[in-house]
Amino acid sequence: MHLAYPAVLSALLFSTGLYGVLARRNAILVLMSVELMLNAVNLNLVAFDVWLSRAAEETLHSGQALTLFTIAIAAAEIGIGLAIVLAVYRNRGTSDIDKLRDTAEGHETDGRGTDGSDSEAPAAQKAEATA
Amino acid sequence: MSLAAAAAATATVAHAATTAAGATVAHTATTAAGATTTAADTHGFLSPTGVEIAFLLVGLVTLGAAIVSVTTRQLVHAALWLVVALGGLAVEYLLLTAEFIAWVQVLIYVGSVVVLLLFGLMLTRAPIGRSPDADSGNRWVALTVAVASAAALVWVVVDAFRTTWIDLDGAAAGSTEVTGKALFQNWVLPFEALSVLLLAALVGAIVLSRKAKANPPAVVTSAANEPADNETPASGTAASGPAASGTADPEKEGAR
């Protein structure tokens, strides 16, 4: 098989995921697009591993091992990401990333200005630690 | 005496260098000749084999599903089209003779990640029908960036690997035996580190999911009951927090 087929498909899938990350507004759809980008990289890794295992007598199979690690890390990432999105949704009532413009918790800190939101962030972390 | 020794040493060094250079040149010539004959004899440049045609068709389906998944305005349909895209990628892995990766892809991605995404869509109360604000205002900028990156990547990749072929004949390069040997002979330490990472991610996800409505009820109860003590209302809220969102957490952890 010509190596350009999987490489081109991987590049196109990566660009599709890039468009999704940049254009989507819902945080979960952004996570889906990140999954697409990760899968494009996985396809590249597998294709080059299959090529190099014959062409260069590469017996480590590092591409496939790295693909397995990427899949596991992507599963962990989607779990953590969804937990964060759900926490944000419970706090803010929305998962629209265009509306999540400040890093402070709660809606009452919006009018305080930048230093108020800065001093509010450690308090939020402390609340997380105690809870 | 010393002159003779130096001359002998020089001769030895020169001989070694000649041998090494000759071996390298011969090896390179052999490799290049082998690659050239392989490329010229058994492959035409644009005469696709059956595997390539199958790869192309499945790739078109995968790419189409991915594009629909990032452009549709129905959020649940986006997750379902993502299933098609990821399943198509599993078929591509099978065509590349990487069987183990293909089944892992089916198990992990189609089996758990998409289910987790659907749970996330449900728990954030995503609208079932068309949602007009699924795309943000900068979608044309995003389209420009994506098309530019696609053009650049495809150009570079095609230009770089124009005369490279994957040899798919013979034993599978990614069967379970081969992958298992490579993984547990050479990659054991990263494998174990990955298990620790998965454990950390599990604990982190549970901690993040448990924290429900921490601040406003804590402020209210502390103001009502005991203004001096801040820790007790916080723990009380943490105990009553999962009860408020009790429908959310068991489903999510069950899915995980």
Side-chain angles (χ1 to χ4, degrees):
Chain A
M1 183 188 294
H2 203 298
L3 187 60
Y5 286 100
V8 167
L9 177 64
S10 157
L12 291 178
L13 276 179
F14 186 85
S15 301
T16 309
L18 185 64
Y19 168 78
V21 167
L22 292 178
R24 284 301 201 179
R25 189 173 273 179
N26 194 329
I28 296 180
L29 293 181
V30 172
L31 281 177
M32 283 187 207
S33 307
V34 170
E35 292 300 313
L36 269 182
M37 295 167 78
L38 283 169
N39 271 285
V41 176
N42 282 348
L43 179 63
N44 238 346
L45 283 173
V46 169
F48 278 84
D49 180 82
V50 173
W51 170 48
L52 285 178
S53 68
R54 294 295 170 80
E57 300 288 332
E58 197 252 6
T59 55
L60 279 178
H61 284 291
S62 48
Q64 295 190 41
L66 193 57
T67 305
L68 287 175
F69 295 158
T70 311
I71 289 175
I73 289 175
E77 173 251 335
I78 206 75
I80 294 284
L82 277 179
I84 291 174
V85 168
L86 287 184
V88 166
Y89 180 78
R90 280 202 293 255
N91 280 332
R92 303 297 182 86
T94 181
S95 57
D96 187 345
I97 52 176
D98 282 350
K99 292 178 183 168
L100 304 174
R101 291 185 176 275
D102 49 0
T103 55
E105 275 197 357
H107 299 283
E108 71 276 3
T109 60
D110 288 336
R112 288 187 194 171
T114 56
D115 51 354
S117 62
D118 282 340
S119 68
E120 199 69 23
Q125 288 177 359
K126 197 184 300 175
E128 278 184 26
T130 54
Chain B
M1 179 64 188
S2 64
L3 191 67
T10 312
T12 312
V13 166
H15 178 66
T18 313
T19 311
T24 311
V25 165
H27 181 67
T28 312
T30 312
T31 312
T36 309
T37 51
T38 306
D41 289 344
T42 62
H43 308 285
F45 178 56
L46 279 180
S47 63
T49 60
V51 177
E52 285 177 342
I53 292 173
F55 192 95
L56 194 63
L57 293 178
V58 179
L60 283 178
V61 171
T62 304
L63 186 63
I67 288 175
V68 173
S69 170
V70 299
T71 54
T72 180
R73 294 186 183 278
Q74 308 194 11
L75 304 185
V76 182
H77 286 194
L80 296 180
W81 279 108
L82 191 67
V83 172
V84 178
L86 299 178
L89 270 173
V91 178
E92 305 281 41
Y93 293 152
L94 277 182
L95 288 176
L96 283 169
T97 69
E99 305 165 10
F100 186 69
I101 304 285
W103 300 125
V104 164
Q105 167 96 2
V106 170
L107 280 177
I108 305 283
Y109 273 109
V110 184
S112 80
V113 166
V114 174
V115 172
L116 211 55
L117 284 170
L118 282 172
F119 269 111
L121 282 176
M122 270 169 47
L123 293 177
T124 57
R125 293 190 178 82
I128 295 297
R130 297 170 64 87
S131 59
D133 57 347
D135 290 335
S136 68
N138 53 6
R139 59 177 304 193
W140 294 110
V141 182
L143 189 63
T144 308
V145 171
V147 168
S149 76
L153 281 175
V154 167
W155 180 43
V156 167
V157 158
V158 169
D159 196 30
F161 301 106
R162 185 178 294 152
T163 57
T164 309
W165 273 267
I166 306 174
D167 188 12
L168 290 179
D169 298 330
S175 64
T176 310
E177 183 185 358
V178 173
T179 311
K181 277 181 180 172
L183 197 61
F184 288 104
Q185 280 178 355
N186 306 313
W187 302 97
V188 173
L189 193 60
F191 189 81
E192 298 298 330
L194 195 69
S195 66
V196 177
L197 179 120
L198 277 180
L199 179 67
L202 183 71
V203 172
I206 290 176
V207 166
L208 280 173
S209 301
R210 276 178 62 90
K211 186 181 72 68
K213 295 177 186 171
N215 268 341
V219 170
V220 167
T221 49
S222 68
N225 295 331
E226 296 175 358
D229 195 358
N230 284 329
E231 302 297 324
T232 313
S235 60
T237 314
S240 67
S245 65
T247 59
D249 287 339
E251 287 175 356
K252 193 163 174 305
E253 288 163 13
R256 189 170 296 126

